[in-house]
Amino acid sequence: MAKLASGVYGQALYETVAGKDSSEDMLKEIQVVRKVISENPDFTRLMLHPSVSKQEKMDVIETTFRGRVMDELTGFLLTVVEKERFKELDSIFDYFTDRIKADRGIGVVYVTSPMDLDINTRLAVEKKIRETTSYVTLETHYTVDPSIIGGIIIRIGDRVADASVKTRLDDLTSKLLDVKLG
């Protein structure tokens, strides 16, 4: 459900600035809001606390952000609080950011491998991704997960290419368990 909400709200935020020059400003101001929230964990606890009324939460949003960020962003934050979607705010912002980057031809890619990849392998992976997508540039995030044993997992948005040994072994195990003997 959170993914659905982040898509709906993220799309709504995107549509407020789509085709306008203010998308870059909105990206910067989202970073400001994220920084305020991350540096003040009590802020999030307050926004999620069931005993604090919606109106009190909306007043805090007004006091904290009105005049400091774009009015569209403040209004959006008020809507998120009013609809009780504050806990999905980070996912909403991620969706918005990914949409703006996609408009600019920037692909956000997550690559998981069992060991740290050397620079030549990274460059080869990025070249192959650019060849098979419409992205002009890539923002690639590499992580190491020894549990995948070998191979590589590439995630771009909601698409996943899993060529890990672990997944292949899991698939083989599943097929072997389905075999009926006798």
Side-chain angles (χ1 to χ4, degrees):
M1 182 62 104
K3 185 171 178 104
L4 179 62
S6 66
V8 170
Y9 286 86
Q11 182 65 28
L13 182 59
Y14 172 79
E15 288 173 5
T16 64
V17 295
K20 299 178 186 174
D21 293 333
S22 58
S23 63
E24 184 65 33
D25 294 334
M26 183 67 80
L27 276 174
K28 289 177 184 172
E29 293 193 0
I30 283 173
Q31 294 308 315
V32 169
V33 170
R34 282 184 151 168
K35 184 176 181 188
V36 167
I37 292 171
S38 70
E39 290 178 353
N40 299 289
D42 289 339
F43 185 87
T44 299
R45 280 194 285 281
L46 174 75
M47 290 292 127
L48 297 176
H49 200 285
S51 297
V52 179
S53 73
K54 279 186 197 179
Q55 188 56 54
E56 290 172 307
K57 292 174 184 178
M58 292 171 75
D59 290 344
V60 169
I61 292 290
E62 282 281 351
T63 304
T64 306
F65 297 110
R66 181 69 69 193
R68 292 180 178 90
V69 297
M70 297 167 64
D71 287 344
E72 295 90 345
L73 184 53
T74 302
F76 179 78
L77 292 169
L78 291 169
T79 301
V80 166
V81 170
E82 181 182 354
K83 300 294 184 183
E84 298 181 353
R85 295 293 186 183
F86 190 83
K87 66 182 174 185
E88 288 108 12
L89 189 60
D90 207 41
S91 297
I92 293 167
F93 285 162
D94 286 343
Y95 180 94
F96 173 83
T97 303
D98 290 347
R99 281 296 309 265
I100 296 297
K101 287 180 181 179
D103 287 352
R104 296 177 180 167
I106 302 169
V108 181
V109 181
Y110 297 89
V111 177
T112 305
S113 60
M115 63 190 131
D116 197 24
L117 300 177
D118 63 58
I119 189 68
N120 292 330
T121 305
R122 288 180 181 212
L123 291 173
V125 167
E126 292 172 17
K127 180 181 178 202
K128 188 66 173 176
I129 292 169
R130 276 193 303 281
E131 289 172 355
T132 58
T133 65
S134 60
Y135 297 122
V136 177
T137 57
L138 298 176
E139 182 181 298
T140 311
H141 305 273
Y142 292 93
T143 58
V144 174
D145 181 359
S147 74
I148 69 170
I149 303 168
I152 195 168
I153 301 170
I154 299 172
R155 184 174 64 83
I156 304 172
D158 59 357
R159 296 175 296 168
V160 177
D162 188 341
S164 68
V165 172
K166 180 182 185 315
T167 297
R168 291 180 184 173
L169 288 173
D170 289 346
D171 290 346
L172 182 60
T173 301
S174 178
K175 288 176 184 174
L176 287 172
L177 291 173
D178 287 344
V179 172
K180 295 182 181 177
L181 300 175

